[in-house]
Amino acid sequence: MTARILDGAALARSIRADMAQRAAALAGRGRPPGLAVILVGEDPASSVYVRNKVKDCEEVGIRSILDHLPVHTTQDSLLARIRQLNADPSVHGILVQLPLPPQIDAHTVIETISPAKDVDGFHVASAGALMTGQAGFLPCTPYGVMKMLEHAGAVLKGAEAVVVGRSNIVGKPQAMLLLQSDATVTICHSRTRDLAAHTRRADILVAAVGRMKMITGDMVKPGAIVIDVGMNRDAAGRLCGDVDFDAVREVASWITPVPGGVGPMTRAMLLVNTIEAAERAAA
Ligand code: NDP
């Protein structure tokens, strides 16, 4: 079997087109959506991410406010800026790009963002809402993965889903979302004994580790849907995932490429959350 490619770039394009319509509708009601993005310091990867987010906003008609603060910004001044944005009715989403410099505690920063504007879905209130099945903002990466599974026509009810990775921003929320869709979920991590024994049972396999090609062909059940969240650089500096793509595509039924899979969907879901936030505020 050669797997079908789950094209995240194409799906993200169609989501952006939908968001552009919803943004135009909000603007037509005099409530244009707005996203504030805060970058502290000069981390090169973060600068690229932030630039892309601003570009995505421009494309769909979300007004973006980019606050680029110096690397020695104090925690108190960052928190004061967040409180100002919390109170600004023209700002519907607030995103603080991580990582932050060492003098600033990321947890305190995230908890200062109003849950109503937490479009990254990292606030404890958002995590609690996800855990208890309440309305809240979903973290963009696992949310995007769910959209990709839906697009592939994956039957999640009763399916064996295995998530490799248990971070707060990817692995854990991914597992919760799969559970809410009635999959039987296993979460694996660095202390898991016999990882392959788990992955081989998976109808749905999500790899979110950060180790190049760690999911090999013999670790995948024939016909599985394989989602590769990982973003790594190979020796030549090329972006690659956690999955050995060439080997696994001969076993799986669907597979996400890297680049062009989960990455563009993560970006698209930030726009979805921002439009949602603006629509809720306008309601
Ligand atoms: P973290 O480093 O926070 O978490 C990695 C997880 O992998 C941990 O739970 C860790 O286990 C687990 N792990 C490490 N080694 C192994 C192993 N040998 N076997 C099984 N599990 C292992 O990373 P993130 O969750 O933030 O990100 C994961 C990957 O996804 C990274 O490559 C990141 O760049 C990428 N990413 C991609 C995004 C996208 O848009 N495409 C968005 C976000 C992340 P333990 O908890 O025991 O340490």
Side-chain angles (χ1 to χ4, degrees), residues 141 164-167 169-170 189-190 208-211 214 229-232 262-263 266:
T141 301
V164 190
R166 58 173 166 180
S167 70
I169 62 168
V170 188
H189 47 79
S190 67
V209 175
R211 286 169 71 111
M214 71 167 294
V229 178
M231 287 200 313
N232 312 292
V262 175
T266 297

Side-chain angles (χ1 to χ4, degrees), residues 57-125:
C57 283
E58 276 168 14
E59 183 186 328
V60 304
I62 294 173
R63 190 177 67 95
S64 63
I65 301 155
L66 173 58
D67 268 12
H68 189 174
L69 306 177
V71 68
H72 48 78
T73 298
T74 63
Q75 177 164 306
D76 282 349
S77 63
L78 176 57
L79 298 186
R81 178 59 182 143
I82 292 171
R83 290 192 188 100
Q84 214 175 32
L85 293 165
N86 281 342
D88 183 341
S90 73
V91 171
H92 305 101
I94 302 170
L95 180 154
V96 179
Q97 185 65 46
L98 303 177
L100 289 162
Q103 74 276 16
I104 300 176
D105 175 48
H107 179 73
T108 306
V109 167
I110 290 165
E111 293 311 300
T112 303
I113 297 172
S114 161
K117 301 189 178 188
D118 175 38
V119 288
D120 252 345
F122 293 168
H123 196 289
V124 165

Side-chain angles (χ1 to χ4, degrees), residues 135-175:
F137 291 108
L138 301 176
C140 299
T141 301
Y143 191 10
V145 168
M146 297 309 286
K147 289 284 172 203
M148 295 176 98
L149 290 172
E150 189 184 312
H151 182 73
V155 177
L156 299 180
K157 196 173 190 164
E160 290 283 345
V162 174
V163 179
V164 190
R166 58 173 166 180
S167 70
N168 289 333
I169 62 168
V170 188
K172 283 185 205 162
Q174 188 69 73

